[in-house]
Coordinates of all heavy atoms in Angstrom, one line a residue:
A15 N 87.5 116.2 97.4 CA 87.5 114.8 97.0 C 87.3 114.7 95.5 O 88.0 113.9 94.8 CB 86.4 114.0 97.7
A18 N 90.4 115.5 93.7 CA 91.5 114.5 93.8 C 91.1 113.3 92.9 O 91.9 112.3 92.9 CB 91.6 114.0 95.2
G19 N 90.1 113.4 92.1 CA 89.8 112.3 91.2 C 89.1 111.1 91.8 O 89.5 109.9 91.4
I20 N 88.2 111.3 92.6 CA 87.5 110.1 93.3 C 86.8 109.2 92.3 O 86.2 109.7 91.4 CB 86.5 110.7 94.3 CG1 87.2 111.4 95.4 CG2 85.5 109.7 94.7 CD1 87.5 110.5 96.6
I21 N 87.0 108.0 92.5 CA 86.2 107.0 91.7 C 85.3 106.2 92.6 O 85.5 106.2 93.8 CB 87.2 106.0 91.0 CG1 88.2 105.5 91.9 CG2 87.9 106.7 89.8 CD1 87.9 104.2 92.6
Y23 N 83.7 102.8 94.3 CA 84.1 101.4 94.5 C 82.8 100.6 94.0 O 81.9 100.5 94.7 CB 84.1 101.1 96.0 CG 85.4 101.5 96.7 CD1 86.1 102.6 96.4 CD2 85.9 100.7 97.7 CE1 87.2 103.0 97.1 CE2 87.0 101.0 98.4 CZ 87.7 102.1 98.1 OH 88.8 102.5 98.7
I50 N 89.5 112.8 102.2 CA 90.0 113.6 101.1 C 90.4 112.8 99.9 O 90.0 113.1 98.7 CB 91.1 114.6 101.6 CG1 90.5 115.5 102.6 CG2 91.7 115.4 100.4 CD1 91.5 116.2 103.5
I51 N 91.3 111.8 100.0 CA 91.7 111.1 98.9 C 91.4 109.6 98.9 O 91.9 108.8 98.1 CB 93.3 111.2 98.7 CG1 94.0 110.8 99.9 CG2 93.6 112.6 98.3 CD1 95.5 110.4 99.6
G52 N 90.6 109.2 99.9 CA 90.4 107.8 100.2 C 90.1 106.9 99.0 O 90.5 105.8 99.0
K53 N 89.3 107.4 98.1 CA 88.8 106.6 97.0 C 89.5 106.7 95.7 O 89.2 106.1 94.7 CB 87.3 106.8 96.9 CG 86.5 106.1 98.0 CD 85.0 106.1 97.7 CE 84.5 107.5 98.1 NZ 83.0 107.6 97.8
S54 N 90.6 107.6 95.7 CA 91.3 107.7 94.4 C 92.3 106.6 94.2 O 92.6 105.9 95.2 CB 92.0 109.1 94.4 OG 93.0 109.1 95.4
L55 N 92.7 106.5 93.0 CA 93.7 105.4 92.7 C 95.1 106.0 92.9 O 95.3 107.2 92.7 CB 93.5 105.1 91.2 CG 92.2 104.4 90.8 CD1 92.2 104.2 89.3 CD2 92.0 103.1 91.5
V56 N 96.0 105.2 93.3 CA 97.4 105.6 93.4 C 98.0 105.7 92.0 O 97.4 105.1 91.1 CB 98.3 104.7 94.3 CG1 97.7 104.5 95.7 CG2 98.6 103.4 93.6
H181 N 89.4 98.2 97.7 CA 89.9 99.2 96.7 C 90.3 98.5 95.4 O 90.8 97.4 95.4 CB 91.1 99.9 97.4 CG 91.7 101.0 96.6 ND1 92.6 100.8 95.6 CD2 91.4 102.3 96.6 CE1 92.9 102.0 95.0 NE2 92.2 103.0 95.7
Q183 N 92.6 98.8 93.3 CA 94.0 98.4 93.1 C 94.5 97.4 94.1 O 95.7 97.0 94.2 CB 94.9 99.6 93.1 CG 94.8 100.5 91.9 CD 95.4 101.8 92.1 OE1 95.3 102.5 93.1 NE2 96.1 102.3 91.0
L209 N 97.7 101.2 98.5 CA 97.4 102.3 99.4 C 98.4 102.3 100.6 O 98.5 103.3 101.3 CB 96.0 102.3 99.9 CG 94.9 102.3 98.9 CD1 93.5 102.2 99.6 CD2 94.9 103.7 98.2

Side-chain angles (χ1 to χ4, degrees):
I20 290 269
I21 49 91
Y23 280 39
I50 296 165
I51 57 160
K53 285 188 278 179
S54 63
L55 297 175
V56 307
H181 187 274
Q183 288 167 316
L209 299 175

